[in-house]
Amino acid sequence: MASSSLPLFAQGLTLQVGRALARRFEAARNHPRRKADHTLVTDADLEADERLTRALEAAFPGVPVLSEERATMLPETTEAWVIDPLDGTTNFALGLPMWGVLLAFLENGQPTVAVAYFPMMDDLFVAIRGQGTTRNGTPVHTREVDAAHETAFALVCSRSLRRYRLEWPWKLRILGSAGYEMALVARGVAIAALESTPKVWDLAAPTLLLTEAGGHWSTLDGGGPFPLQPGVNYRDADFPMLAAASPPLWEALRAGVHPRTASEHQKHSP
């Protein structure tokens, strides 16, 4: 790791940016617009991205920053930052409180430090490889759940329901933030999260939070983006993935995920 103070710096910066976004959120000065890939972006996204990138480049000269709103291709490097300045932009733009700031430090293409801050819940999650995951300074862990546990629930994105038929015995919830969903699995609130179109900046920090809390994740095809590779443009690369509270639960849930037929897909499209 570049410095023993790196995790503390990452936490402080994430808190600063998250609190600045909260002020923008409460002031309702959001101006969403469509990007080329049809996802939403607001002025707040761009301002948060600028603030994060400038601070990281100043504190860690020569360490590249990979970001949804800026550089999407990793150069030849052994260290890098991956940021999502506003995970849950649609929620933010619509006035829903489930959104946050995601920040990850990578060594040799693998996340080793992760910070995720969700300002409206005042939840700060931190993970360091080999040292576990904390929420507001308290260690958190996933939970094991059997099929008969009626209070368990899983999280999905709306696109997942259109693309996949799920044979799961538990209730489903849609929250609109991939980072927050995986943080809830890490915390032991939800038992699983299914995302159909996440990108590397959606995954770098939350997946480390999850695994350090005892959970398991993988893409649906068994591959995955990590370690990130130099020279690859990750702008348009999606990694459909499933996160679960444990490896055995992941296996059981994966067996219940089935691609919809063309007619089923059309039926479930808005």
Side-chain angles (χ1 to χ4, degrees), residues 231-245:
V232 175
N233 190 339
Y234 288 99
R235 180 182 300 278
D236 300 319
D238 294 332
F239 300 94
M241 59 78 66
L242 173 64

Side-chain angles (χ1 to χ4, degrees), residues 181-259:
E181 290 171 358
M182 280 186 273
L184 289 181
V185 180
R187 182 182 162 190
V189 174
I191 60 167
L194 177 66
E195 287 285 330
S196 66
T197 58
K199 301 189 184 294
V200 294
W201 29 84
D202 299 309
L203 298 173
T207 53
L208 186 63
L209 298 179
L210 176 76
T211 55
E212 284 297 316
H216 178 75
W217 79 280
S218 180
T219 56
L220 295 180
D221 64 4
F226 306 113
L228 295 187
Q229 300 299 314
V232 175
N233 190 339
Y234 288 99
R235 180 182 300 278
D236 300 319
D238 294 332
F239 300 94
M241 59 78 66
L242 173 64
S246 67
L249 183 60
W250 189 95
E251 294 290 346
L253 288 169
R254 177 63 186 89
V257 180
H258 308 284

Side-chain angles (χ1 to χ4, degrees), residues 1-9 60 128:
M1 188 178 299
S3 168
S4 60
S5 63
L6 185 149
L8 289 176
F9 176 86
F60 301 90
I128 301 174

Side-chain angles (χ1 to χ4, degrees), residues 77-95:
T77 181
T78 59
E79 299 178 332
W81 293 97
V82 177
I83 64 174
D84 189 340
L86 209 174
D87 178 62
T89 296
T90 299
N91 284 354
F92 183 89
L94 295 177

Side-chain angles (χ1 to χ4, degrees), residues 28-262:
R29 292 179 292 166
N30 313 317
H31 306 286
R33 52 191 179 275
R34 295 284 179 185
K35 296 189 291 186
D37 63 359
H38 304 295
T39 59
L40 288 180
V41 66
T42 69
D43 292 337
D45 289 76
L46 302 177
E47 291 174 9
D49 184 271
E50 177 77 10
R51 185 168 183 173
L52 283 168
T53 301
R54 285 183 177 274
L56 292 171
E57 290 177 343
F60 301 90
V63 179
V65 180
L66 201 67
S67 164
E68 178 179 12
E69 311 300 343
R70 191 180 295 261
T72 58
M73 183 181 296
L74 195 68
E76 290 285 348
T77 181
T78 59
E79 299 178 332
W81 293 97
V82 177
I83 64 174
D84 189 340
L86 209 174
D87 178 62
T89 296
T90 299
N91 284 354
F92 183 89
L94 295 177
L96 298 172
M98 286 79 73
W99 54 268
V101 181
L102 309 179
L103 182 64
F105 182 72
L106 275 62
E107 297 179 86
N108 299 312
Q110 296 280 4
T112 56
V113 176
V115 181
Y117 181 50
F118 305 97
M120 307 316 293
M121 275 67 73
D122 199 25
D123 276 345
L124 177 68
F125 291 84
V126 180
I128 301 174
R129 185 173 294 278
Q131 298 184 36
T133 298
T134 61
R135 169 183 174 252
N136 297 335
T138 301
V140 295
H141 305 279
T142 60
R143 62 170 177 160
E144 188 65 72
V145 180
D146 61 43
H149 201 301
E150 295 181 356
T151 62
F153 67 95
L155 302 165
V156 298
C157 67
S158 57
R159 288 181 293 272
S160 295
L161 295 180
R162 295 196 294 268
R163 294 187 178 191
Y164 305 106
R165 177 169 48 86
L166 304 180
E167 295 179 353
W168 292 353
W170 301 287
K171 296 178 180 179
L172 304 178
R173 296 291 184 266
I174 299 174
L175 300 185
S177 164
Y180 190 55
E181 290 171 358
M182 280 186 273
L184 289 181
V185 180
R187 182 182 162 190
V189 174
I191 60 167
L194 177 66
E195 287 285 330
S196 66
T197 58
K199 301 189 184 294
V200 294
W201 29 84
D202 299 309
L203 298 173
T207 53
L208 186 63
L209 298 179
L210 176 76
T211 55
E212 284 297 316
H216 178 75
W217 79 280
S218 180
T219 56
L220 295 180
D221 64 4
F226 306 113
L228 295 187
Q229 300 299 314
V232 175
N233 190 339
Y234 288 99
R235 180 182 300 278
D236 300 319
D238 294 332
F239 300 94
M241 59 78 66
L242 173 64
S246 67
L249 183 60
W250 189 95
E251 294 290 346
L253 288 169
R254 177 63 186 89
V257 180
H258 308 284
R260 291 191 182 277
T261 64

